[in-house]
């Protein structure tokens, strides 16, 4: 994996993390309007799954294609 691809993928995963964290904060602080039919715990569970997935991908990418291995 070349450095440009590595940097692009890292930016993608960081954006996914930021997006999920922001949405959890909004749901937790009631700063957004939530329709009555939204299952907040289910939504937060899904967002936490996205956070976990992005963190796992960044970790795997770092282990296998980190700075010394990016080509």
């Amino acid at each position: 994996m070349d450095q440009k691809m590595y940097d692009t993928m890292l930016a993608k995963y960081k954006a996914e993390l930021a997006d999920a964290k922001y949405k959890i904060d909004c749901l937790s602080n009631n700063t957004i309007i939530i329709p009555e039919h939204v299952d907040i715990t289910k939504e937060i569970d899904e967002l936490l799954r996205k956070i976990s997935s992005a963190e796992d991908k960044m970790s795997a990418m770092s282990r296998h294609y980190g700075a010394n291995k990016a080509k």
Side-chain angles (χ1 to χ4, degrees), residues 32-62:
I32 60 173
I33 298 171
I34 302 171
E36 292 180 21
H37 66 277
V38 172
D39 182 346
I40 294 172
T41 56
K42 181 179 177 183
E43 182 66 20
I44 289 177
D45 186 59
E46 175 65 19
L47 291 166
L48 288 171
R49 184 195 61 75
K50 289 179 180 182
I51 288 171
S52 179
S53 177
E55 288 176 340
D56 288 347
K57 290 175 185 178
M58 285 192 301
S59 178
M61 192 174 68
S62 178

